[in-house]
Amino acid sequence: IVGQDSDTDLAVIKVDVHQSLPAAVMGNSDNLRVGEWVLAIGSPFGLDQTVTAGIISAKDRVTEAGALHPFQQFLQTDAAINPGNSGGPLVNLAGEVVGINTLIATRTWVYNGIGFALPSSTAVDIYNQLIQYGRVRRGFLGITLQSVTPQIQRQFGLKDAEGVLVGDVTSKDSPAARAGIRSEDVIVSINGHKVKDARDLIRTVGSLSVGSLANVTFVRDGQSRTVSVRLEERKDESADGPPDSNPR
């Protein structure tokens, strides 16, 4: 085992062999469109090399376990996925791996038409970091946060009920505090990416390089402001509760 990441349930394993092995080609899941055909490959119920077909039903899907695993966003597909498919590839019609089959939504413990695969873009990023650092390094802003609700929207006079309300900075020396972000600021975008809610901010900041500068746009007293924040490394917070109350 070269390295593993519990937040995405991925690991990099080195296999020593005495002959060359064929390798699958990794595709870019960011280029997938809803409705595009895909194939799920695996060993459901011990039936090796089973292939099922379906389409991409949705992208950036968050499951009920998302509160515990905020860095897991899935491709949803109706290609049949059953016990034994987990870890197998989801491929496009060019034969490129665009996802890793992970779980299903079911009340019968077998396929009910809704399956989820971790996007290849996530897998490639995790792989590269594990190879380079032996662990995954995620950006850290240093705030406690809450998703903007319609009530918060009205209270702060916001255009829509999107963004993140800063509850507080985690310390006076946190990256956000050093950049001048403070309690009751409403973060609306990071590096031009519109922030939808707390989970979206966590994933966006976590995907940025440690030590990089992030341009954070927020609303304070009805005025929009942008500051540059130099991100630190996020510590392991696997025991934390829902993201709306966590430091990020």
Side-chain angles (χ1 to χ4, degrees):
I1 298 178
V2 176
Q4 50 193 327
D5 178 51
S6 60
D7 283 326
T8 54
D9 198 25
L10 289 177
V12 174
I13 300 175
K14 181 176 180 292
V15 180
D16 294 317
V17 295
H18 302 290
Q19 62 187 38
S20 60
L21 298 175
V25 176
M26 296 300 291
N28 187 351
S29 57
D30 292 340
N31 295 334
L32 284 174
R33 295 177 296 175
V34 173
E36 188 170 339
W37 282 93
V38 288
L39 305 175
I41 304 174
S43 303
F45 307 112
L47 301 171
D48 294 347
Q49 302 182 38
T50 293
V51 178
T52 55
I55 63 169
I56 296 295
S57 307
K59 298 177 63 176
D60 302 328
R61 184 70 81 193
V62 176
T63 64
E64 291 181 359
L68 298 177
H69 302 284
F71 298 103
Q72 286 188 334
Q73 260 185 300
F74 296 104
L75 302 170
Q76 182 181 323
T77 180
D78 64 351
I81 294 176
N82 281 293
N85 276 106
S86 296
L90 186 74
V91 303
N92 59 20
L93 294 190
E96 300 169 331
V97 178
V98 292
I100 299 175
N101 303 325
T102 306
L103 71 157
I104 59 176
T106 178
R107 295 179 179 176
T108 62
W109 301 102
V110 293
Y111 170 72
N112 275 349
I114 300 177
F116 303 98
L118 200 69
S120 62
S121 59
T122 299
V124 169
D125 176 60
I126 297 302
Y127 167 84
N128 288 332
Q129 292 205 53
L130 290 177
I131 290 296
Q132 184 172 358
Y133 305 112
R135 70 182 194 280
V136 177
R137 304 172 73 215
R138 294 184 170 93
F140 176 76
L141 194 57
I143 60 173
T144 58
L145 67 166
Q146 178 183 352
S147 297
V148 170
T149 63
Q151 292 81 4
I152 292 175
Q153 176 193 0
R154 291 192 296 270
Q155 179 182 349
F156 288 88
L158 303 174
K159 294 180 180 179
D160 50 42
E162 291 188 345
V164 166
L165 175 66
V166 177
D168 203 353
V169 293
T170 56
S171 74
K172 294 181 180 179
D173 195 42
S174 74
R178 290 199 299 268
I181 296 174
R182 65 194 191 198
S183 175
E184 295 193 353
D185 287 343
V186 179
I187 297 175
V188 293
S189 73
I190 296 176
N191 289 343
H193 168 80
K194 188 174 182 180
V195 174
K196 299 177 182 178
D197 52 27
R199 187 172 283 109
D200 187 32
L201 181 141
I202 292 168
R203 286 193 299 266
T204 300
V205 173
S207 68
L208 299 177
S209 300
V210 175
S212 66
L213 285 173
N215 293 321
V216 179
T217 300
F218 59 91
V219 176
R220 178 188 295 169
D221 299 328
Q223 300 295 318
S224 178
R225 309 184 186 194
T226 300
V227 296
S228 293
V229 182
R230 189 168 297 279
L231 301 177
E232 294 180 357
E233 183 173 353
R234 175 182 180 269
K235 304 303 180 184
D236 182 17
E237 298 171 0
S238 58
D240 286 346
D244 279 7
S245 62
N246 288 344
R248 302 295 176 191

